[in-house]
Amino acid sequence: NAGVTQTPKFQVLKTGQSMTLQCAQDMNHNSMYWYRQDPGMGLRLIYYSASEGTTDKGEVPNGYNVSRLNKREFSLRLESAAPSQTSVYFCASRSTGSGNTGELFFGEGSRLTVL
Amino acid sequence: KNQVEQSPQSLIILEGKNCTLQCNYTVSPFSNLRWYKQDTGRGPVSLTIMTFSENTKSNGRYTATLDADTKQSSLHITASQLSDSASYICVVSADSNYQLIWGAGTKLIIKP
């Protein structure tokens, strides 16, 4: 099973350029997430989608947009990249669990550098 | 403010030795606590999920404990192996909207 697949794995952008990070999951999960991970900090939630057709802001949404294209795919777009967006980006999907115990499954990460 | 603090920041031990990683949290209302393992250059992988009523949970050589009264958790690794070298992240889930508060992680290095 592929699980959660992210593309691209590496990207270098110049300030002001735009790009889209792609994420797809094959586990039939309803919920999907985009996080960023910076050195010395915990993962921070950018956006999430509780189900197909819905998206919500997380902790650090500024400078990003998302699209839940269908149940499998959840993309993250940087409209005008800034050096502060240099980070490792992780997509995750969540299984259904009793109460709030659904398991998170992560992709391999996309390493973005903005010059 | 909801926070998760982990200690130590980094740890080096010899292969075969045991170690314990600590997690303190100030998250309310508490839903559950998770431990993740993150290998360098990879995404986090879940080790355990513990709810309020669970004090101990094991996953192979990994044993997590939870004291909801003192808001502390620990992850004990027994008979460490080189493949245990990774960052270990404590994550606390608050209430029912699936808000997760992530710790910064403990970087564990196992030396032969």
Side-chain angles (χ1 to χ4, degrees):
Chain A
N1 287 339
V4 178
T5 304
Q6 291 182 233
T7 57
K9 287 185 167 51
F10 299 94
Q11 184 72 48
V12 178
L13 292 177
K14 294 181 179 178
T15 297
Q17 288 184 318
S18 62
M19 76 158 299
T20 299
L21 302 178
Q22 307 285 355
C23 175
Q25 53 96 5
D26 62 3
M27 295 172 283
N28 201 35
H29 292 163
N30 287 321
S31 300
M32 297 186 72
Y33 306 80
W34 276 105
Y35 287 93
R36 62 178 287 173
Q37 186 174 38
D38 300 296
M41 300 180 69
L43 270 72
R44 291 183 291 171
L45 182 64
I46 305 171
Y47 271 93
Y48 68 99
S49 171
S51 61
E52 185 179 352
T54 68
T55 60
D56 286 285
K57 295 179 180 179
E59 183 184 355
V60 288
N62 291 346
Y64 305 95
N65 285 304
V66 291
S67 295
R68 184 73 183 267
L69 303 171
N70 46 56
K71 192 171 186 178
R72 290 188 65 247
E73 298 173 289
F74 188 38
S75 63
L76 178 71
R77 183 161 178 83
L78 286 70
E79 291 291 351
S80 179
S84 61
Q85 293 178 305
T86 294
S87 188
V88 181
Y89 292 85
F90 286 101
C91 177
S93 68
R94 180 170 71 95
S95 64
T96 303
S98 61
N100 204 14
T101 59
E103 192 69 71
L104 272 179
F105 296 85
F106 284 85
E108 294 291 282
S110 298
R111 285 145 187 83
L112 175 66
T113 301
V114 182
L115 302 175
Chain B
K1 181 183 176 182
N2 288 333
Q3 281 187 321
V4 174
E5 295 183 348
Q6 294 187 241
S7 61
Q9 204 168 20
S10 62
L11 180 64
I12 302 173
I13 64 172
L14 292 175
E15 185 180 11
K17 298 296 186 182
N18 304 334
C19 67
T20 300
L21 313 181
Q22 300 291 342
C23 173
N24 295 333
Y25 62 92
T26 55
V27 176
S28 183
F30 174 89
S31 178
N32 58 71
L33 184 144
R34 305 155 182 257
W35 283 94
Y36 284 84
K37 178 186 180 188
Q38 185 176 22
D39 293 319
T40 300
R42 308 292 294 272
V45 174
S46 179
L47 293 175
T48 65
I49 299 175
M50 302 178 71
T51 59
F52 184 89
S53 59
E54 295 175 295
N55 300 117
T56 303
K57 203 160 192 180
S58 292
N59 178 359
R61 294 179 296 101
Y62 301 101
T63 299
T65 65
L66 173 63
D67 185 335
D69 291 332
T70 62
K71 299 188 177 182
Q72 296 180 326
S73 176
S74 65
L75 181 69
H76 186 74
I77 304 174
T78 303
S80 61
Q81 300 176 359
L82 297 179
S83 59
D84 293 330
S85 292
S87 287
Y88 292 84
I89 307 173
C90 176
V91 188
V92 179
S93 178
D95 65 39
S96 60
N97 69 356
Y98 210 66
Q99 179 187 9
L100 295 179
I101 296 88
W102 292 74
T106 292
K107 185 175 177 66
L108 176 64
I109 299 172
I110 311 297
K111 293 207 166 185

